[in-house]
């Protein structure tokens, strides 16, 4: 397969679906597909631990019957026989469609798509992946005497295709490639607990991955946690590093998710637009087209173009993210955040957090590299799946970080940070100017006053 070849010919498929649907007497249908070719390797002590090559397809067909009820079916068979069978099954399923909530075509499914530049890279093959990862593992272990192993590691290259077609003439197709590397080292010292940390890097292709920087970051972060100490339980001035704050805000994205609002599992209501939900120094947008989003698609599962949506501006909730159905309920346009289905789910794409223009923070001189105040610097939040109660707004999470006094960092042995997301957002006292592009979004360092931390002493 060359770098431009695709697994799905969307125009050929559109003609085939048009022909079959007429034969079955289906007047309204749409088709969504995500196909992923993946090659990945893991290493253990210089030897391949796991090598994997796979092709995953997620193909959904929706059919509307004469009563406008929707049935869906999934298939991996794109032959005439397979598609005919899928259309018939979807038509049968439509008899049991939900009369109270019927999806429709996105009214933006045929509008022009945004133009973005995402280079398509050739696969380098599994042998090169293995050799690169063996070398990276060795370099990371040799970078410090205390680093004994790299128990969590992986190098992969992926080729994604997304397709959307409907019976009104919408035809979308996009292909992209992505490579990813993660290295998490384990450091050990006599009489001390093992310590671990790591780094993740993404690129359009393997040859563009910054492997040396990934090794350097993993080593530095791991070594920084060797000299650890317990922390006294109490309330602290806290600075979240960008990755940690992005984890937290994404875990509570039900605040701005219209699907969650309609389903009654959000901290917001339909009337929350225009309400102050955070300190006025905070602004948040969801921009799936941001240049740092290596895996950006220009349309979602319903064919709606990906957009840059302002979510929070100067602390005020401005917009929800929508599917076609939720947008119709609210009388607005869909925002390009939906999957395809009888009840399309809605999820955030690429959060971009920034300091509001013209707003002066309560503590403008706080800086994670220069401040002499005593504070806790949070690097990573752990156990997000268990420690977040999204519909209640509360969190209690183990974390990796440091207690910083007079500019000197001491790694924290083990501790838990807890609070309420709405209170946290309203207690932001400083957002630093510099934004950092991470593998999950963009954010500066963000400071919160008086957060509860439970330690071992």
């Amino acid at each position: 397969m060359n770098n431009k070849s695709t697994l799905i010919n969307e125009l050929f498929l559109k003609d085939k679906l048009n022909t079959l649907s007429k034969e079955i007497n289906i007047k309204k249908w749409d088709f969504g597909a995500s196909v992923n070719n993946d090659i990945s390797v893991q290493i253990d002590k210089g030897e391949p631990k796991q090598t994997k090559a796979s092709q995953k397809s997620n193909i959904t067909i929706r059919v509307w019957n004469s009563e406008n009820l929707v049935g869906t079916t999934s298939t991996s068979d794109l032959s005439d026989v397979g598609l005919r069978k899928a259309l018939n099954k979807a038509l049968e399923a439509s008899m049991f469609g939900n009369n109270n909530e019927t999806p429709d075509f996105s009214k933006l499914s045929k509008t022009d798509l945004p133009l973005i530049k995402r280079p398509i890279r050739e696969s380098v093959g599994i042998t090169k992946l293995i050799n690169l990862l063996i070398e990276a593992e060795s370099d990371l272990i040799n970078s410090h005497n205390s680093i004994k192993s790299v128990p969590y590691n992986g190098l992969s290259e992926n080729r994604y295709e997304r397709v959307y077609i409907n019976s009104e003439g919408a035809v979308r197709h996009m292909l992209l490639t992505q490579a990813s590397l993660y290295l998490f080292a384990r450091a050990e010292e006599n009489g001390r607990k093992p310590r671990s940390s790591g780094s993740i890097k993404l690129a359009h292709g393997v040859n563009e991955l910054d492997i040396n920087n990934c090794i350097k970051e993993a080593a530095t972060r791991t070594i920084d946690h060797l000299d650890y100490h317990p922390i006294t339980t109490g309330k602290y001035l806290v600075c979240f590093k960008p990755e940690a704050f992005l984890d937290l805000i994404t875990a509570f994205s039900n605040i701005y998710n219209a699907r969650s609002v309609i389903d009654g599992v959000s901290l917001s209501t339909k009337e929350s637009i225009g309400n102050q939900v955070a300190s006025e120094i905070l602004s948040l947008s969801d921009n799936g087209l941001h240049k740092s989003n290596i895996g950006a698609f220009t349309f979602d599962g319903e064919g709606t173009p990906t957009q840059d949506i302002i979510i929070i501006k100067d602390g005020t909730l401005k917009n929800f993210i929508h599917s076609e159905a939720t947008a119709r309920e609210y009388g607005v346009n869909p925002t390009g955040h939906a999957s395809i289905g009888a009840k399309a789910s809605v999820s955030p794409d690429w959060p971009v957090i920034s300091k509001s223009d013209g707003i002066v923070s309560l503590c403008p001189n706080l800086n994670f590299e220069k401040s002499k105040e005593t504070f806790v610097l949070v690097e990573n939040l752990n156990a997000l799946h268990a420690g977040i109660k999204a519909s209640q707004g509360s969190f209690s999470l183990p974390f990796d970080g440091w207690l910083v006094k007079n500019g000197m960092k001491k790694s924290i042995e083990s501790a838990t940070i807890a609070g309420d997301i709405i209170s946290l957002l309203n207690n932001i006292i400083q957002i630093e100017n510099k934004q950092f592009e991470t593998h999950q979004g963009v954010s500066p360092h963000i400071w919160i006053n008086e957060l509860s931390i439970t330690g071992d002493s």
Side-chain angles (χ1 to χ4, degrees):
M1 178 183 291
N2 64 46
N3 65 335
K4 298 295 184 184
S5 63
T6 62
L7 294 170
I8 297 178
N9 183 328
E10 70 279 12
L11 297 178
F12 178 75
L13 190 58
K14 181 196 72 172
D15 292 341
K16 190 185 293 186
L17 285 165
N18 274 330
T19 300
L20 291 170
S21 61
K22 286 177 183 175
E23 290 176 5
I24 305 171
N25 197 26
I26 294 173
K27 292 185 171 56
K28 185 173 181 178
W29 56 266
D30 67 359
F31 170 100
S34 296
V35 181
N36 174 24
N37 272 356
D38 173 85
I39 301 176
S40 63
V41 300
Q42 294 179 14
I43 299 299
D44 183 21
K45 299 180 178 64
E47 297 293 334
K49 176 183 177 184
Q50 177 176 288
T51 60
K52 185 171 66 176
S54 63
Q55 179 179 316
K56 301 172 186 172
S57 300
N58 183 13
I59 298 171
T60 300
I61 294 178
R62 299 190 296 189
V63 166
W64 283 255
N65 65 21
S66 57
E67 297 179 357
N68 201 38
L69 297 177
V70 174
T72 67
T73 189
S74 298
T75 183
S76 58
D77 185 354
L78 296 182
S79 67
D80 282 9
V81 173
L83 289 173
R84 181 186 294 276
K85 187 175 181 181
L87 285 165
N88 275 316
K89 290 295 182 184
L91 184 59
E92 289 177 23
S94 69
M95 298 184 62
F96 305 96
N98 183 357
N99 194 33
N100 296 320
E101 187 170 317
T102 303
D104 204 338
F105 294 159
S106 167
K107 61 183 179 181
L108 302 181
S109 63
K110 292 193 291 183
T111 59
D112 292 339
L113 293 176
L115 297 176
I116 60 173
K117 292 183 179 179
R118 294 293 188 272
I120 305 300
R121 301 305 187 202
E122 294 276 7
S123 168
V124 301
I126 203 162
T127 301
K128 184 170 181 177
L129 295 184
I130 291 172
N131 292 334
L132 285 172
L133 194 54
I134 288 175
E135 186 176 350
E137 182 197 43
S138 175
D139 289 347
L140 181 49
I141 290 175
N142 293 329
S143 66
H144 194 276
N145 290 335
S146 297
I147 297 179
K148 305 300 183 187
S149 62
V150 188
Y152 303 107
N153 63 72
L155 177 58
S156 66
E157 54 182 8
N158 308 83
R159 186 181 181 89
Y160 299 103
E161 284 185 54
R162 179 177 289 177
V163 176
Y164 177 80
I165 306 169
N166 72 29
S167 55
E168 288 188 348
V171 181
R172 312 286 208 193
H173 180 231
M174 185 174 175
L175 165 69
L176 62 84
T177 57
Q178 177 178 295
S180 62
L181 168 66
Y182 64 91
L183 299 169
F184 283 77
R186 177 184 171 100
E188 300 175 21
E189 290 184 322
N190 287 335
R192 306 285 282 171
K193 295 178 181 177
R195 306 292 280 176
S196 182
S197 192
S199 176
I200 300 173
K201 296 296 177 187
L202 303 177
H204 297 292
V206 170
N207 291 328
E208 298 168 42
L209 281 171
D210 192 347
I211 298 176
N212 289 333
N213 197 31
C214 190
I215 295 169
K216 183 179 177 181
E217 283 186 2
T220 301
R221 292 174 178 177
T222 304
I223 295 164
D224 278 354
H225 286 293
L226 283 176
D227 184 22
Y228 62 84
H229 298 267
I231 187 171
T232 303
T233 298
K235 294 204 170 193
Y236 290 84
L237 173 64
V238 173
C239 175
F240 284 91
K241 296 188 74 171
E243 293 92 340
F245 196 81
L246 286 165
D247 274 339
L248 195 62
I249 200 73
T250 303
F252 286 102
S253 60
N254 68 11
I255 294 173
Y256 53 91
N257 186 322
R259 182 77 267 166
S260 299
V261 174
I262 292 172
D263 290 345
V265 292
S266 172
L267 299 173
S268 301
T269 67
K270 190 173 181 180
E271 290 73 34
S272 295
I273 296 295
N275 289 352
Q276 192 81 20
V277 296
S279 163
E280 62 180 3
I281 196 175
L282 178 77
S283 289
L284 165 68
S285 61
D286 193 286
N287 183 8
L289 302 172
H290 194 277
K291 61 182 176 58
S292 63
N293 186 8
I294 299 292
F297 280 102
T298 54
F299 59 94
D300 70 1
E302 297 181 321
T304 302
T306 305
Q307 302 157 54
D308 181 6
I309 302 293
I310 295 174
I311 305 296
I312 298 173
K313 183 175 176 55
D314 302 344
T316 300
L317 185 62
K318 294 293 186 181
N319 289 294
F320 293 133
I321 53 176
H322 286 282
S323 64
E324 178 283 328
T326 67
R328 185 156 36 92
E329 172 79 16
Y330 281 70
V332 298
N333 284 333
T335 58
H337 293 86
S339 62
I340 185 172
K343 182 179 179 179
S345 61
V346 177
S347 56
D349 200 339
W350 198 252
V352 178
I353 298 167
S354 60
K355 185 176 183 178
S356 302
D357 292 336
I359 306 292
V360 178
S361 65
L362 289 175
C363 301
N365 295 323
L366 288 175
N367 181 287
F368 82 102
E369 292 180 309
K370 301 175 182 176
S371 291
K372 300 301 181 184
E373 287 80 358
T374 298
F375 65 95
V376 172
L377 180 60
V378 177
E379 181 183 46
N380 289 313
L381 298 173
N382 303 315
L384 289 161
H385 61 287
I388 296 280
K389 293 185 178 179
S391 60
Q392 299 176 18
S394 62
F395 62 90
S396 179
L397 300 166
F399 70 96
D400 300 320
W402 299 269
L403 180 63
V404 185
K405 290 183 178 179
N406 296 318
M408 301 297 292
K409 296 195 306 183
K410 293 287 186 183
S411 179
I412 297 170
E413 182 177 6
S414 64
T416 301
I417 190 166
D420 173 86
I421 188 65
I422 297 299
S423 297
L424 181 147
L425 292 175
N426 281 283
N427 284 331
I428 295 174
I429 57 173
Q430 163 68 332
I431 294 179
E432 297 186 18
N433 292 323
K434 184 177 180 181
Q435 291 177 302
F436 290 82
E437 296 176 352
T438 78
H439 65 281
Q440 55 192 351
V442 180
S443 176
H445 287 72
I446 294 183
W447 294 73
I448 317 292
N449 202 18
E450 294 286 296
L451 259 184
S452 295
I453 289 179
T454 303
D456 287 342
S457 65

